[in-house]
């Protein structure tokens, strides 16, 4: 369920409501059913009990919009907080290896030292033994993966609130202002930059880029999906995914906020109001289109795509033809994350801090685990069949599924 922090307003628009059932006006009648109310969880008979391997505390993201999520690489789990701390924990034991503070001294701190929050909101991602994060302050940081020392930092126009992408020695970031910018991952030198048009009203979120076959695929706030050549930023094909159908700006919000999912030679993408599509990577030809609306991360296993829609309903869709295999509607308005694929299950988190395991074949809920009461805000990370999840309060857990 989206809240008001998730929407960017232009200067003339002071108030708007976003209902999970669609974009419409808010109800002011006391006796009407509140369609935004989260459903209560029902009792289940678990098939197994998830095992917590380790549990480490830290700073989190609080109540703010964030897509920060753990990244596993080089035998470590990298995580970050909105305040500006980046952490590395040993992936096996959970022991903290290093902690880097990216906050800056405030210019008006006077006699007392005052640190300005770094507002980290994109990443972490890894590559060439570095860890990359972006911030709402329009900065990109590269840290040494072994020591946490800052290798370089760069400035971009607009907030970086989605994860950068890395491939072939290049880091690409997408910003709220519509700037797509590529850096040399070794030294931070700018390789190219393009600016995309941004509608007056968009959701609080932007698509993270995906890189494959020498191309950068990224969604836009106008509901389009485009590819750019990684080497020089030259634009290739563009395809319309979102479908604006309303008469007001609010009703016509059709952002692509989730990262495009590249699987082989096909790109899968979904709009916050519109469609789930399959598109040929090299030509941009649309293979199929189905009506789903989502701003969460897509996942894939074999021939099945898993997604969470704007209502919190979870779907399994055949990736070959787009036909629906099953739906799970027990989590309406519970702020459900995108699904993570793990063994024979998909795992989602919710706003009360619960993780739910669903059977990949049937969508049945087979297990549940409570991390903490602050809530799970981003798709869990899976590496070597271990699930890593971070709560809003910063609690980081490594969980084994029997």
């Amino acid at each position: 369920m989206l809240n008001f922090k998730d929407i960017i307003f232009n200067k003339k628009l002071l108030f708007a409501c976003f209902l999970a059932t669609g974009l419409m006006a808010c109800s002011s009648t006391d006796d009407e059913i509140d369609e935004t109310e989260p459903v209560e969880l029902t009792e289940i008979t678990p098939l197994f009990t998830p095992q917590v391997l380790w549990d480490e505390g830290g700073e989190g993201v609080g109540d703010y919009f964030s897509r920060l999520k753990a990244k596993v690489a080089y035998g470590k789990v990298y995580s970050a907080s909105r305040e500006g701390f980046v952490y590395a924990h040993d992936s096996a034991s959970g022991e903290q290896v290093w902690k880097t503070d990216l906050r800056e001294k405030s210019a008006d701190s006077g006699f007392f030292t005052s640190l300005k929050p770094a507002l980290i909101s994109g990443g972490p991602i890894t590559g060439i033994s570095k860890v990359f994060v972006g911030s709402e302050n329009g900065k990109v940081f590269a840290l040494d993966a072994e020591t946490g020392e800052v290798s370089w930092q760069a400035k971009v126009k607009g907030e970086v609130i989605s994860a950068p992408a890395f491939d072939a020695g290049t880091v690409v970031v997408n910003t709220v202002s519509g700037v797509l910018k590529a850096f040399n991952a070794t030294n931070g030198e700018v390789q190219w930059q393009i600016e995309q048009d941004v509608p007056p009203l968009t959701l609080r979120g932007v698509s993270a880029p995906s890189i494959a076959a020498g191309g950068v695929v990224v969604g836009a706030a106008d509901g389009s999906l485009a590819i750019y050549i990684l080497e020089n930023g030259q634009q290739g094909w563009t395809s319309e995914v979102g479908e604006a159908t309303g008469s007001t700006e609010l009703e016509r919000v059709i952002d692509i906020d989730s990262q495009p999912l590249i699987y082989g030679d096909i790109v899968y993408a979904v709009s916050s109001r519109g469609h789930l599509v399959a598109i040929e990577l090299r030509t941009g030809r649309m293979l199929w289109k189905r009506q789903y609306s989502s701003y969460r991360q897509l996942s894939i296993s074999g021939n099945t795509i898993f997604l969470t829609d704007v209502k919190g309903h979870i779907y399994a869709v055949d990736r070959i033809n787009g036909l629906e295999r099953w739906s799970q509607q027990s989590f309406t308005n519970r702020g459900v994350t995108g699904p993570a694929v793990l063994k024979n299950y998909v795992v989602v988190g919710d706003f009360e801090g619960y993780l739910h395991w669903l059977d990949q074949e049937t969508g049945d809920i087979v297990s549940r685990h409570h991390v903490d009461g602050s809530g799970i805000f981003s798709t869990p990370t899976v590496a070597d069949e271990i699930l890593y999840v971070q709560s809003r309060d910063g609690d980081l857990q490594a969980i084994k599924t029997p």
Side-chain angles (χ1 to χ4, degrees):
M1 179 178 68
L2 294 179
N3 55 41
F4 298 134
K5 294 177 183 176
D6 297 337
I7 301 180
I8 300 175
F9 295 86
N10 63 23
K11 294 181 180 179
K12 296 182 180 180
L13 188 59
L14 300 179
F15 183 77
C17 294
F18 184 87
L19 295 183
T21 56
L23 299 168
M24 61 184 70
C26 291
S27 171
S28 60
T29 306
D30 292 337
D31 58 356
E32 290 186 11
I33 297 174
D34 185 356
E35 296 184 28
T36 68
E37 188 70 20
V39 300
E40 296 292 332
L41 294 178
T42 58
E43 293 293 329
I44 64 170
T45 302
L47 296 183
F48 57 84
T49 300
Q51 178 187 358
V52 177
L53 300 179
W54 52 261
D55 184 344
E56 293 293 328
E59 293 80 7
V61 300
D63 294 329
Y64 293 93
F65 173 88
S66 180
R67 285 183 170 165
L68 292 175
K69 58 174 291 183
K71 174 67 177 180
V72 182
Y74 314 123
K76 301 176 184 64
V77 183
Y78 301 98
S79 61
S81 73
R82 187 174 187 273
E83 181 71 12
F85 298 104
V86 182
Y87 303 86
H89 291 87
D90 183 272
S91 60
S93 66
E95 180 181 355
Q96 183 175 297
V97 179
W98 54 256
K99 174 182 177 181
T100 297
D101 187 353
L102 296 178
R103 296 176 298 173
E104 295 180 357
K105 185 177 180 180
S106 178
D108 58 352
S109 59
F111 180 78
F112 299 99
T113 301
S114 177
L115 296 177
K116 180 181 178 182
L119 305 185
I120 302 301
S121 52
I125 65 159
T126 57
I128 59 169
S129 298
K130 287 182 173 59
V131 181
F132 304 96
V133 295
S135 80
E136 294 176 33
N137 292 327
K139 291 186 176 180
V140 181
F141 298 90
L143 312 180
D144 186 281
E146 291 299 316
T147 66
E149 293 182 2
V150 177
S151 298
W152 56 262
Q153 61 177 290
K155 185 71 175 176
V156 294
K157 177 184 175 182
E159 300 170 286
V160 182
I161 60 174
S162 62
F166 169 84
D167 191 48
T170 301
V171 174
V172 181
V173 298
N174 189 26
T175 78
V176 170
S177 299
V179 172
L180 189 68
K181 196 167 186 176
F183 299 92
N184 181 305
T186 301
N187 54 30
E189 292 182 357
V190 178
Q191 297 184 174
W192 50 263
Q193 173 181 311
I194 64 167
E195 295 197 25
Q196 309 162 92
D197 293 333
V198 179
L201 182 65
T202 68
L203 297 182
R204 175 65 170 169
V206 296
S207 166
S210 292
I211 303 176
V216 182
V217 183
V218 65
D222 63 2
S224 65
L225 188 74
I227 190 168
Y228 301 87
I229 297 175
L230 178 61
E231 184 179 2
N232 56 26
Q234 180 181 345
Q235 185 171 353
W237 53 259
T238 300
S239 182
E240 300 300 321
V241 178
E243 182 178 358
T245 57
S247 58
T248 68
E249 281 188 308
L250 184 61
E251 292 173 324
R252 297 176 69 82
V253 171
I254 54 174
D255 306 47
I256 297 178
D257 283 343
S258 65
Q259 183 179 25
L261 177 60
I262 301 176
Y263 191 83
D265 59 354
I266 300 177
V267 181
Y268 300 95
V270 65
S271 167
S272 60
R273 183 182 177 93
H275 300 100
L276 171 69
V277 300
I279 298 173
E280 282 189 346
L281 177 61
R282 296 190 178 277
T283 67
R285 182 172 71 93
M286 190 168 295
L287 302 176
W288 53 257
K289 177 189 292 187
R290 299 291 181 264
Q291 193 167 8
Y292 292 95
S293 297
S294 177
Y295 55 92
R296 301 292 193 183
Q297 178 180 318
L298 300 173
S299 293
I300 196 165
S301 178
N303 287 330
T304 305
I305 301 169
F306 301 99
L307 73 144
T308 301
D309 76 0
V310 295
K311 300 178 183 178
H313 301 164
I314 303 164
Y315 296 90
V317 178
D318 191 300
R319 76 172 186 87
I320 305 300
N321 52 34
L323 297 180
E324 189 173 302
R325 292 184 170 179
W326 55 255
S327 66
Q328 174 55 261
Q329 302 186 17
S330 299
F331 308 118
T332 303
N333 298 331
R334 292 190 61 84
V336 179
T337 69
V341 173
L342 175 61
K343 295 185 176 181
N344 297 321
Y345 312 103
V346 289
V347 186
V348 297
D350 71 20
F351 81 110
E352 288 187 317
Y354 286 96
L355 291 171
H356 309 273
W357 278 253
L358 280 64
D359 186 285
Q360 278 194 31
E361 294 298 319
T362 65
D364 294 335
I365 306 168
V366 296
S367 189
R368 183 176 293 156
H369 168 71
H370 193 230
V371 177
D372 69 27
S374 67
I376 309 300
F377 62 95
S378 62
T379 305
T381 299
V382 176
D384 298 324
E385 296 190 343
I386 302 298
L387 189 80
Y388 301 90
V389 64
Q390 185 177 12
S391 74
R392 286 192 170 277
D393 282 349
D395 192 14
L396 180 64
Q397 289 189 1
I399 302 169
K400 182 178 180 180
T401 299

